[in-house]
Amino acid sequence: MADAASRLVSVAEQLLGAPLPVRVRAWDGSQAGPPGAPVIVVRNRRALRRMLFKPGELGMARAWVAGDLDIEGDLYTALGAMAGLLWEHDDEGGGRSLADTVRDPAARAAVRDLIRLVGPPLPPAPPREEVRRRRHLHTRRTDKRAISHHYDVGNDFYALVLGPSMVYSCAYWEDDSSLETAQHDKLELVCRKLGLKPGQRLLDVGCGWGSMAVHAAREHGVSVVGVTLSQEQAAFARKRVADEGLTDRVEIRVQDYRDVRDGPYDAISSIGMAEHVGAERYLEYARDLYGLLKPGGRLLNHQIARRPQQDETAYEVDAFIDSYVFPDGELAPLGTTVTMLERAGFEVRDVESLREHYARTLRAWVANLEGDWARATRLAGFGRSRVWRLYMAASALAFERNQIGVNQVLAVRTPETGTSGLPARTRTWNP
């Protein structure tokens, strides 16, 4: 009988209808596949059972998080090869469809061989890091639970990944920037777009660990209210504000943005928060922020976007992201976001894509994580650290390939007079 690796490669190629672009090393030490290709390590039969009982991305994710499946060598190269074969396979028109697989006797035989190789067909329990998928309600209760899952991992873990800036959103890079400089420049870019001046009031929605609030108060003399649903973020941000001597100008609240009632504000920043709002709630989000601004006030909405689909009703949230990273998170096309802001009453004045900047940011975060891996696993656990490594590396590739993007949308609550208050040449914030 053939060794396990050869059997796995044969089964995979039968099912996919295409050559496998990666090498496989199985639990019995055998290897098969193209020499010099990235190596997928199948550590045990349990990895196969996970993929057999949950075919596709979620089964592979479960095997990865549990450590049953691994990658030897460069993670980006391996993910790139697998993405081209699996996730982009149907779009490229290559390989076989599921119907073709069912009709093909050789493919059915390959499945039977896989079942024999797997052993007793008992589905393993999902890793404990997995959140049960559910309908995206986006109530105050479910949003708080989702935010806690993602952000209450531990401030020390995030400090390891993000670096001293503690900014968990796309940086703004020059060719020779460090991560810290690039994050400083992003915060400054937001402040310039908002036209912040001493004495103004800024609402920072989804304030994270307080980086934007501290920067705006310290560098531009504004008073800031920052809101987050994460207890751990709020505790960190409040200490940071106190250490900076800014308690008279910065207030950090554990509060849902829908419960903010002390407007009007001169400006609102929403950086990496709108992805949590959900499609059904987005117009409500936009109207709430519009109502919190004074006439002439500006909103800077910094948000990840997906590519539009021919049939938008067919959009499904990524199974791995929804189950392990951002429960209830949803991405919308840029055009949808702009439309919702305009329907809420905003005048959209500027849109800037930072897609390549986010790819570089994610690669920097992955390098931080991999560079202190032992400490990361002590802080967040083995499975959670693997979730973040896979999520950030795969996301970097998605940004690089234009599968997703990130945009800063500057919008104004333009008064009836039509005076927006913006300079004639709006890109003056980019010296």
Side-chain angles (χ1 to χ4, degrees), residues 103-250:
R103 286 192 295 264
D104 185 353
R108 294 200 302 271
V111 172
R112 288 194 295 269
D113 189 36
L114 179 61
I115 293 172
R116 285 193 294 270
L117 185 61
V118 164
L122 299 175
R128 62 184 179 84
E129 291 80 9
E130 182 172 316
V131 173
R132 183 172 61 86
R133 301 181 74 193
R134 56 195 180 273
R135 182 170 174 265
H136 296 176
L137 299 176
H138 291 287
T139 64
R140 285 165 173 78
R141 179 181 178 183
T142 60
D143 282 353
K144 187 167 186 177
R145 185 170 56 199
I147 292 297
S148 178
H149 172 85
H150 187 77
Y151 293 105
D152 291 340
V153 177
N155 292 331
D156 289 341
F157 175 76
Y158 273 106
L160 183 154
V161 174
L162 305 179
S165 71
M166 290 298 282
V167 179
Y168 190 27
S169 57
C170 171
Y172 192 59
W173 298 85
E174 292 279 2
D175 289 342
D176 58 349
S177 294
S178 66
L179 176 60
E180 290 308 301
T181 299
Q183 290 291 16
H184 172 277
D185 290 349
K186 190 274 298 298
L187 297 175
E188 183 61 19
L189 177 67
V190 172
C191 291
R192 288 178 178 273
K193 287 182 176 182
L194 290 173
L196 298 182
K197 299 177 179 62
Q200 290 185 328
R201 297 183 74 214
L202 168 69
L203 174 64
D204 187 27
V205 179
C207 67
W209 292 272
S211 302
M212 176 64 189
V214 167
H215 182 94
R218 184 183 61 215
E219 304 297 330
H220 295 269
V222 297
S223 296
V224 187
V225 171
V227 297
T228 176
L229 294 178
S230 167
Q231 295 284 352
E232 290 195 24
Q233 284 185 334
F236 186 99
R238 287 167 180 157
K239 183 179 185 305
R240 193 174 186 183
V241 168
D243 291 345
E244 291 275 354
L246 295 171
T247 52
D248 60 330
R249 277 187 277 163
V250 179

Side-chain angles (χ1 to χ4, degrees), residues 62-369:
R62 286 176 173 176
W64 168 269
V65 173
D68 301 327
L69 192 71
D70 215 335
I71 289 171
E72 188 175 275
D74 183 69
L75 179 61
Y76 297 102
T77 302
L79 289 177
M82 295 299 291
L85 181 65
L86 298 175
W87 299 300
E88 300 163 16
H89 195 57
D90 292 339
D91 295 338
E92 294 172 358
R96 68 169 80 241
S97 67
L98 178 59
D100 290 338
T101 300
V102 171
R103 286 192 295 264
D104 185 353
R108 294 200 302 271
V111 172
R112 288 194 295 269
D113 189 36
L114 179 61
I115 293 172
R116 285 193 294 270
L117 185 61
V118 164
L122 299 175
R128 62 184 179 84
E129 291 80 9
E130 182 172 316
V131 173
R132 183 172 61 86
R133 301 181 74 193
R134 56 195 180 273
R135 182 170 174 265
H136 296 176
L137 299 176
H138 291 287
T139 64
R140 285 165 173 78
R141 179 181 178 183
T142 60
D143 282 353
K144 187 167 186 177
R145 185 170 56 199
I147 292 297
S148 178
H149 172 85
H150 187 77
Y151 293 105
D152 291 340
V153 177
N155 292 331
D156 289 341
F157 175 76
Y158 273 106
L160 183 154
V161 174
L162 305 179
S165 71
M166 290 298 282
V167 179
Y168 190 27
S169 57
C170 171
Y172 192 59
W173 298 85
E174 292 279 2
D175 289 342
D176 58 349
S177 294
S178 66
L179 176 60
E180 290 308 301
T181 299
Q183 290 291 16
H184 172 277
D185 290 349
K186 190 274 298 298
L187 297 175
E188 183 61 19
L189 177 67
V190 172
C191 291
R192 288 178 178 273
K193 287 182 176 182
L194 290 173
L196 298 182
K197 299 177 179 62
Q200 290 185 328
R201 297 183 74 214
L202 168 69
L203 174 64
D204 187 27
V205 179
C207 67
W209 292 272
S211 302
M212 176 64 189
V214 167
H215 182 94
R218 184 183 61 215
E219 304 297 330
H220 295 269
V222 297
S223 296
V224 187
V225 171
V227 297
T228 176
L229 294 178
S230 167
Q231 295 284 352
E232 290 195 24
Q233 284 185 334
F236 186 99
R238 287 167 180 157
K239 183 179 185 305
R240 193 174 186 183
V241 168
D243 291 345
E244 291 275 354
L246 295 171
T247 52
D248 60 330
R249 277 187 277 163
V250 179
E251 178 187 0
I252 303 296
R253 304 174 184 167
V254 178
Q255 185 178 35
D256 193 294
Y257 72 92
R258 290 166 286 195
D259 296 327
V260 176
R261 297 287 184 267
D262 59 348
Y265 289 86
D266 297 282
I268 297 176
S269 54
S270 179
I271 306 173
M273 178 270 174
E275 297 89 341
H276 296 287
V277 171
E280 293 183 4
R281 300 282 187 180
Y282 202 92
L283 184 57
E284 175 188 349
Y285 158 82
R287 285 172 172 162
D288 283 346
L289 299 192
Y290 183 88
L292 286 166
L293 278 172
K294 73 174 189 180
R298 302 181 192 179
L299 164 70
L300 192 287
N301 189 78
H302 178 119
Q303 181 177 343
I304 298 172
R306 61 176 172 84
R307 303 294 297 168
Q309 298 184 178
Q310 291 295 327
D311 178 10
E312 279 295 315
T313 63
Y315 167 66
E316 293 185 359
V317 176
D318 181 273
F320 168 61
I321 299 295
D322 194 37
S323 299
Y324 285 97
V325 186
F326 286 107
D328 294 353
E330 296 179 65
L331 300 184
L334 171 62
T336 301
T337 296
V338 169
T339 296
M340 290 295 115
L341 291 172
E342 289 183 330
R343 285 182 59 188
F346 282 105
E347 180 188 9
V348 173
R349 295 299 302 251
D350 187 79
V351 176
E352 182 174 6
S353 172
L354 303 180
R355 177 172 64 82
E356 294 88 350
H357 293 265
Y358 216 156
R360 186 171 172 182
T361 304
L362 285 156
R363 283 183 176 262
W365 291 341
V366 171
N368 286 346
L369 178 62

Side-chain angles (χ1 to χ4, degrees), residues 39-56:
V39 178
I40 305 299
V41 182
V42 184
R43 297 198 180 280
N44 49 54
R45 288 182 172 86
R46 187 170 56 249
L48 302 181
R49 287 197 288 272
R50 293 187 187 281
M51 291 184 279
L52 189 63
F53 279 92
K54 188 62 70 171

